[in-house]
Amino acid sequence: MVDAISTRLLDSVPDPTDFPPQENAPGLRKLDSTFRCTICGEVFDAPVTTRCGHCFCSGCLRPALALKQECPTCRKSTNEMHIRPNYVMEEAIMCWGESRTYILELIKREKEAAEAVSKAKASQRSHKRKRSGSTSSVEMLDCAPGPSSPRTPRRRQHSPRKHKAVDLTTVPSSDVDEDELSSINLNPKPNQIVPCPLCSKTVAYKDLNTHIDRGCKDFSKEKASETWSKILSKPPNKQKGKQRCYRKHSDSDDEQPLPLASYATLKDRQLREMLGDHGLPTQGDRSLLEQRHQRWVVFYNTNLDRSLPNRKSKSALRQELKKWEETHFKVKKPVVQDAKEHVKTHKSEFSKLVSIARGSQPQITSTIPSSVSPQPMSPG
Amino acid sequence: MDARLRRVNKEIADCKNDKTSSIKIEMIDESPFHLKGSFVGPEDTPYAGGKFEVDIVIPESYPFQPVKMKFLTKVYHPNVSSQSGAICLDILKDAWSPVLTLKSTLISLQSLLCSPEPNDPQDAEVAKHYMTSRGSFEQTARYWAQIYAGAPGGDGKAVKQVDDEVAIAGLEKAHVDQFESLGFPRGKVIDVLRRLNYRGANVAQITDDRIVEELLK
């Protein structure tokens, strides 16, 4: 029974072993494990880098550094100020998330096909030995966009928008498709949109020369006026500029990471105010308040380590916090403050329980309400 | 599913899939947070060939807090309590890191058996034994591995019960017989000699009077 439970649990957790081993699918297992945080074992969520170059989920590294200020991997000393978001990794794992299922699907299909073939062969000529399934997955890999595919097509995949422009200026390389070559018009019309051979920006053919003469820096008219109105309406704010340099990669102006609070120096009232400022519930005992705030700071700062389009809203973060609290504190029963009052209010329940206990009926357990603590039963 | 459970599941799966290492992890009851790990004693040590079982409890705040591990199999080792199986190893205490896993921790335990650290002992008596007489210590450790961890070699079954006690304590039969013949109960003699570390070079340093004094206490 234990084994059944464990296998059920194990099946539901995706991990690098979903892929065939190294000899059948070179690099795939390792690739999957490189995209995983060594603390939680999941594919990175809001990946960040320490100053020693190791990568973790922001939400894993921050609590770890709060306990001990060293890199969990190499033990070099580091602290929260050194954490930098890793946007390239973030993008890579998003792509991996999509392609992972696709690759697994391909592997599965290939395996099924191989099995069908071997079955058919076995039934056709029973004297011939069965083909082993392991060789087939290697064949399959050649068609999958894995690390084994040649280098040039991968580059193209990386920057599809810039691709044509590059081909215009350079000698058409072997990876240019036939139809792409034919689509390049050597005598474009004046109003036709063409990519600039230098900066790859698309401009009308008649404007191309002016564009290049200006060092590829000209804007369209609307854009120019937009920029000017922006400059004129918002005089540069010195303070904001200063703040921004802390987190210059992010485009957001007002979002700053929350500082860690030293709870020992905070009064209950101050702590409640801090929670209230972020729109969080303020009820609960001291340790719950502290843990709630601590967790909120982790959620909040983790969110800032995501690239702007991937950030969650504040209300989504609050929902996440609520969920976290529910899973972590549901086991704790409410503490009875006033024992006498408690006995009074639950008298009928207690007397019922007592009568059941005296009768020693077998269905006792089903009738006991879960919220009633057993201590007040003894005097009755 | 919370992060801790997911991680533990992955770790158990990882051990199941790894056929090259001798590390095994299994569940004791239905909770995935109370496990039993086991590994084979390292080669070229007194523990070679034995199967050592470890009780594993995964705390609430894992992986930010270290796992709790202790030996279920009795081990004669300076850094393992010969009574309770408690382990003295830095990564199980302040040198823990959240990237360490159940497997890597069990491998560390395995290597702890290769390289005892008597200057930071868990079991002071065993550490003293190790420091005074390596040969005698290894003999006792091997004997323990044979009777408790099922290590090969040693015709343990042929040896009489009384000699077992002497060998388990890592003492010389002649020494125990000598003091027993003075009229003291055998159990007490073994106890006192073990406590005084009456082994190897120490034998010459501890006078018979001192031992009798202890025996009379």
Side-chain angles (χ1 to χ4, degrees):
Chain A
M1 183 185 180
V2 171
D3 248 18
I5 290 169
S6 66
T7 47
R8 183 175 54 80
L9 289 173
L10 296 175
D11 283 345
S12 62
V13 179
D15 73 346
T17 54
D18 295 346
F19 294 101
Q22 174 72 15
E23 54 272 23
N24 294 349
L28 273 183
R29 267 193 192 183
K30 210 156 182 204
L31 183 70
D32 194 56
S33 61
T34 0
F35 286 140
R36 285 169 186 278
C37 170
T38 43
I39 295 181
C40 64
E42 304 289 322
V43 169
F44 287 116
D45 171 36
V48 290
T49 312
T50 57
R51 65 172 171 175
C52 45
H54 294 106
C55 196
F56 304 95
C57 299
S58 177
C60 294
L61 182 60
R62 287 174 185 278
L65 290 184
L67 290 171
K68 209 201 263 178
Q69 299 206 327
E70 60 174 38
C71 169
T73 302
C74 67
R75 297 187 191 278
K76 279 198 183 120
S77 91
T78 186
N79 63 46
E80 284 217 58
M81 290 300 290
H82 299 136
I83 296 179
R84 290 290 175 270
N86 191 339
Y87 294 132
V88 176
M89 180 58 91
E90 192 181 359
E91 210 170 322
I93 52 168
M94 276 174 66
C95 302
W96 179 239
E98 283 175 42
S99 52
R100 191 180 196 275
T101 32
Y102 173 67
I103 294 171
L104 284 173
E105 184 59 34
L106 278 182
I107 291 172
K108 202 177 137 198
R109 245 187 275 162
E110 187 64 26
K111 210 175 174 184
E112 281 167 4
E115 269 165 18
V117 166
S118 64
K119 253 185 206 167
K121 273 190 181 170
S123 61
Q124 264 181 2
R125 290 173 284 176
S126 52
H127 64 272
K128 203 183 175 187
R129 265 198 310 160
K130 264 192 177 182
R131 260 180 80 187
S132 70
S134 58
T135 47
S136 57
S137 47
V138 178
E139 291 165 17
M140 171 278 315
L141 260 174
D142 292 338
C143 64
S148 56
S149 54
R151 226 174 131 193
T152 29
R154 231 198 312 170
R155 241 179 71 206
R156 200 198 313 172
Q157 206 177 24
H158 190 70
S159 53
R161 197 171 49 82
K162 291 184 178 178
H163 180 61
K164 270 195 180 175
V166 172
D167 283 347
L168 272 173
T169 50
T170 56
V171 180
S173 53
S174 58
D175 64 335
V176 177
D177 298 327
E178 282 298 307
D179 56 329
E180 259 182 287
L181 263 177
S182 64
S183 75
I184 295 167
N185 192 343
L186 293 174
N187 292 312
K189 285 165 195 151
N191 277 330
Q192 193 179 335
I193 302 294
V194 293
C196 163
L198 298 182
C199 71
S200 82
K201 213 177 268 172
T202 49
V203 286
Y205 182 63
K206 63 178 162 68
D207 296 333
L208 188 57
N209 280 336
T210 10
H211 169 80
I212 292 168
D213 287 346
R214 288 180 189 173
C216 301
K217 272 179 185 169
D218 58 345
F219 310 99
S220 65
K221 271 185 186 168
E222 309 95 323
K223 263 194 177 170
S225 62
E226 240 173 59
T227 323
W228 277 112
S229 63
K230 225 188 223 170
I231 292 167
L232 292 172
S233 62
K234 279 188 196 167
N237 187 332
K238 268 187 188 172
Q239 236 194 334
K240 276 200 171 168
K242 218 179 184 180
Q243 285 174 342
R244 209 179 301 160
C245 62
Y246 171 73
R247 174 174 291 284
K248 59 184 173 193
H249 300 291
S250 107
D251 296 328
S252 98
D253 284 345
D254 52 346
E255 301 214 78
Q256 291 297 309
L258 293 177
L260 293 175
S262 54
Y263 299 104
T265 62
L266 284 172
K267 291 195 173 105
D268 280 15
R269 190 178 48 78
Q270 288 170 302
L271 191 54
R272 287 210 172 86
E273 267 172 23
M274 282 162 69
L275 288 167
D277 287 347
H278 292 287
L280 301 172
T282 53
Q283 68 268 25
D285 62 346
R286 174 79 191 189
S287 80
L288 180 63
L289 291 179
E290 280 179 13
Q291 289 193 58
R292 183 183 292 149
H293 187 263
Q294 215 169 5
R295 189 40 58 169
W296 173 254
V297 171
V298 170
F299 278 155
Y300 189 94
N301 291 346
T302 299
N303 197 38
L304 290 189
D305 287 327
R306 295 190 176 101
S307 60
L308 215 46
N310 291 332
R311 282 198 195 153
K312 296 176 181 172
S313 69
K314 294 278 174 319
S315 56
L317 289 182
R318 280 184 207 110
Q319 278 297 319
E320 228 172 273
L321 184 71
K322 201 180 153 201
K323 236 186 201 168
W324 175 83
E325 243 178 62
E326 277 166 4
T327 52
H328 279 78
F329 299 102
K330 66 180 173 194
V331 275
K332 285 187 185 169
K333 288 178 187 171
V335 182
V336 178
Q337 297 289 347
D338 189 347
K340 278 183 185 170
E341 192 62 40
H342 186 82
V343 171
K344 226 183 244 175
T345 49
H346 294 91
K347 199 171 181 184
S348 62
E349 282 171 53
F350 288 141
S351 51
K352 205 166 133 197
L353 285 170
V354 168
S355 66
I356 292 169
R358 289 208 173 123
S360 64
Q361 287 165 9
Q363 68 266 33
I364 275 178
T365 44
S366 61
T367 53
I368 295 177
S370 57
S371 63
V372 177
S373 55
Q375 290 116 311
M377 267 175 65
S378 47
Chain B
M1 208 196 304
D2 76 320
R4 179 173 69 132
L5 184 58
R6 285 180 74 97
R7 182 175 146 151
V8 172
N9 276 332
K10 275 181 216 273
E11 291 192 36
I12 297 171
D14 187 33
C15 276
K16 268 198 182 146
N17 289 317
D18 184 6
K19 270 131 197 140
T20 51
S21 77
S22 67
I23 310 285
K24 284 192 181 65
I25 296 177
E26 51 195 281
M27 290 209 230
I28 290 181
D29 39 37
E30 282 178 34
S31 160
F33 302 125
H34 188 195
L35 306 163
K36 188 166 81 177
S38 64
F39 58 85
V40 174
E43 292 298 314
D44 301 323
T45 66
Y47 313 98
K51 185 191 171 206
F52 294 89
E53 293 189 328
V54 180
D55 181 75
I56 303 169
V57 174
I58 291 155
E60 191 80 8
S61 46
Y62 183 79
F64 299 106
Q65 294 294 333
V67 281
K68 295 185 176 76
M69 285 193 181
K70 66 168 192 189
F71 273 104
L72 291 169
T73 310
K74 277 172 96 66
V75 186
Y76 199 73
H77 188 282
N79 304 106
V80 180
S81 164
S82 56
Q83 304 298 315
S84 66
I87 303 160
C88 177
L89 182 62
D90 57 352
I91 60 158
L92 290 175
K93 287 159 191 160
D94 49 349
W96 170 258
S97 158
V99 301
L100 292 172
T101 61
L102 297 179
K103 192 167 126 189
S104 64
T105 312
L106 286 171
I107 291 172
S108 298
L109 286 186
Q110 200 177 20
S111 81
L112 178 71
L113 294 189
C114 298
S115 47
E117 189 50 73
N119 295 317
D120 184 18
Q122 176 73 36
D123 195 307
E125 281 179 18
V126 180
K128 265 191 239 160
H129 189 182
Y130 180 87
M131 303 276 260
T132 34
S133 167
R134 271 294 274 284
S136 164
F137 163 82
E138 283 181 4
Q139 212 180 332
T140 311
R142 191 170 297 117
Y143 188 70
W144 278 47
Q146 281 162 8
I147 56 171
Y148 297 121
D155 36 2
K157 285 162 200 163
V159 189
K160 276 184 242 162
Q161 177 66 30
V162 269
D163 293 335
D164 272 355
E165 283 177 321
V166 180
I168 284 169
L171 297 166
E172 297 273 333
K173 191 172 177 293
H175 295 151
V176 177
D177 288 345
Q178 181 196 338
F179 290 98
E180 196 188 10
S181 64
L182 297 176
F184 294 105
R186 194 176 178 85
K188 193 164 189 187
V189 172
I190 291 172
D191 201 39
V192 166
L193 292 184
R194 190 184 59 213
R195 207 170 61 236
L196 291 175
N197 191 22
Y198 195 73
R199 295 155 182 141
N202 257 12
V203 173
Q205 284 169 23
I206 301 171
T207 61
D208 288 3
D209 289 348
R210 171 88 206 285
I211 291 163
V212 172
E213 209 174 280
E214 285 289 325
L215 282 166
L216 287 169
K217 265 184 191 172

